[in-house]
Short mmCIF file of all heavy atoms in Angstrom, two decimals:
data_model
loop_
_atom_site.label_atom_id
_atom_site.label_comp_id
_atom_site.label_asym_id
_atom_site.label_seq_id
_atom_site.Cartn_x
_atom_site.Cartn_y
_atom_site.Cartn_z
N VAL W 107 -21.67 34.40 13.79
CA VAL W 107 -21.29 35.76 14.18
C VAL W 107 -21.36 36.72 13.01
O VAL W 107 -21.82 37.87 13.15
CB VAL W 107 -19.89 35.76 14.82
CG1 VAL W 107 -19.41 37.19 15.05
CG2 VAL W 107 -19.91 35.00 16.14
N LEU W 111 -22.73 40.41 13.35
CA LEU W 111 -21.77 41.51 13.43
C LEU W 111 -21.86 42.42 12.21
O LEU W 111 -21.82 43.65 12.34
CB LEU W 111 -20.37 40.95 13.59
CG LEU W 111 -19.21 41.94 13.59
CD1 LEU W 111 -18.09 41.46 14.52
CD2 LEU W 111 -18.63 42.15 12.18
N VAL W 213 -11.08 42.82 12.18
CA VAL W 213 -11.02 42.13 13.47
C VAL W 213 -11.03 40.63 13.21
O VAL W 213 -11.71 40.14 12.31
CB VAL W 213 -12.19 42.55 14.40
CG1 VAL W 213 -13.53 42.02 13.89
CG2 VAL W 213 -11.93 42.07 15.81
N LEU W 214 -10.23 39.91 13.99
CA LEU W 214 -10.10 38.46 13.84
C LEU W 214 -10.72 37.74 15.03
O LEU W 214 -10.58 38.18 16.17
CB LEU W 214 -8.62 38.08 13.75
CG LEU W 214 -7.80 38.69 12.62
CD1 LEU W 214 -6.32 38.45 12.86
CD2 LEU W 214 -8.23 38.13 11.28
N ASP W 215 -11.38 36.64 14.74
CA ASP W 215 -11.93 35.76 15.77
C ASP W 215 -11.21 34.42 15.63
O ASP W 215 -11.56 33.60 14.79
CB ASP W 215 -13.44 35.61 15.57
CG ASP W 215 -14.09 34.72 16.60
OD1 ASP W 215 -13.41 34.33 17.57
OD2 ASP W 215 -15.30 34.41 16.46
N LEU W 251 -9.39 38.62 18.77
CA LEU W 251 -9.82 37.97 20.00
C LEU W 251 -9.62 36.48 19.83
O LEU W 251 -9.90 35.92 18.77
CB LEU W 251 -11.29 38.26 20.30
CG LEU W 251 -11.69 39.72 20.53
CD1 LEU W 251 -13.18 39.81 20.85
CD2 LEU W 251 -10.88 40.35 21.65
N VAL W 288 -19.45 36.99 22.25
CA VAL W 288 -18.53 37.08 21.12
C VAL W 288 -18.95 38.17 20.15
O VAL W 288 -18.13 38.97 19.69
CB VAL W 288 -18.41 35.71 20.41
CG1 VAL W 288 -17.57 35.83 19.13
CG2 VAL W 288 -17.80 34.67 21.34
N VAL W 289 -20.24 38.23 19.83
CA VAL W 289 -20.74 39.26 18.92
C VAL W 289 -20.48 40.65 19.49
O VAL W 289 -20.01 41.56 18.78
CB VAL W 289 -22.24 39.05 18.64
CG1 VAL W 289 -22.82 40.25 17.90
CG2 VAL W 289 -22.47 37.78 17.83
N HIS W 290 -20.78 40.82 20.76
CA HIS W 290 -20.62 42.12 21.40
C HIS W 290 -19.16 42.56 21.40
O HIS W 290 -18.82 43.69 21.00
CB HIS W 290 -21.15 42.06 22.84
CG HIS W 290 -21.01 43.34 23.60
ND1 HIS W 290 -19.90 43.61 24.39
CD2 HIS W 290 -21.81 44.43 23.69
CE1 HIS W 290 -20.04 44.81 24.93
NE2 HIS W 290 -21.19 45.33 24.53
N GLU W 291 -18.25 41.67 21.83
CA GLU W 291 -16.85 42.05 21.94
C GLU W 291 -16.20 42.29 20.58
O GLU W 291 -15.43 43.25 20.41
CB GLU W 291 -16.09 40.97 22.71
CG GLU W 291 -16.49 40.85 24.17
CD GLU W 291 -16.33 42.15 24.93
OE1 GLU W 291 -15.27 42.79 24.80
OE2 GLU W 291 -17.27 42.54 25.64
N LEU W 292 -16.50 41.45 19.60
CA LEU W 292 -15.93 41.65 18.27
C LEU W 292 -16.46 42.93 17.63
O LEU W 292 -15.72 43.68 16.98
CB LEU W 292 -16.23 40.45 17.38
CG LEU W 292 -15.44 39.17 17.64
CD1 LEU W 292 -16.02 38.02 16.81
CD2 LEU W 292 -13.96 39.35 17.31
N SER W 293 -17.76 43.19 17.80
CA SER W 293 -18.36 44.41 17.24
C SER W 293 -17.73 45.65 17.88
O SER W 293 -17.40 46.62 17.18
CB SER W 293 -19.87 44.41 17.45
OG SER W 293 -20.49 43.34 16.78
N CYS W 294 -17.57 45.62 19.19
CA CYS W 294 -16.94 46.75 19.89
C CYS W 294 -15.52 46.98 19.40
O CYS W 294 -15.09 48.12 19.19
CB CYS W 294 -16.96 46.52 21.39
SG CYS W 294 -18.59 46.67 22.16
N GLU W 295 -14.79 45.89 19.24
CA GLU W 295 -13.41 45.99 18.77
C GLU W 295 -13.36 46.64 17.40
O GLU W 295 -12.53 47.52 17.14
CB GLU W 295 -12.81 44.59 18.72
CG GLU W 295 -11.30 44.54 18.74
CD GLU W 295 -10.73 44.87 20.11
OE1 GLU W 295 -11.29 44.43 21.13
OE2 GLU W 295 -9.71 45.58 20.14
N LEU W 296 -14.24 46.22 16.51
CA LEU W 296 -14.23 46.71 15.14
C LEU W 296 -14.68 48.17 15.06
O LEU W 296 -14.11 48.96 14.29
CB LEU W 296 -15.12 45.82 14.26
CG LEU W 296 -14.94 45.91 12.75
CD1 LEU W 296 -13.49 45.78 12.35
CD2 LEU W 296 -15.78 44.85 12.06
#
Side-chain angles (χ1 to χ4, degrees):
V107 172
L111 176 146
V213 69
L214 301 168
D215 181 8
L251 297 182
V288 174
V289 170
H290 179 268
E291 293 303 313
L292 286 171
S293 297
C294 288
E295 201 73 40
L296 197 50

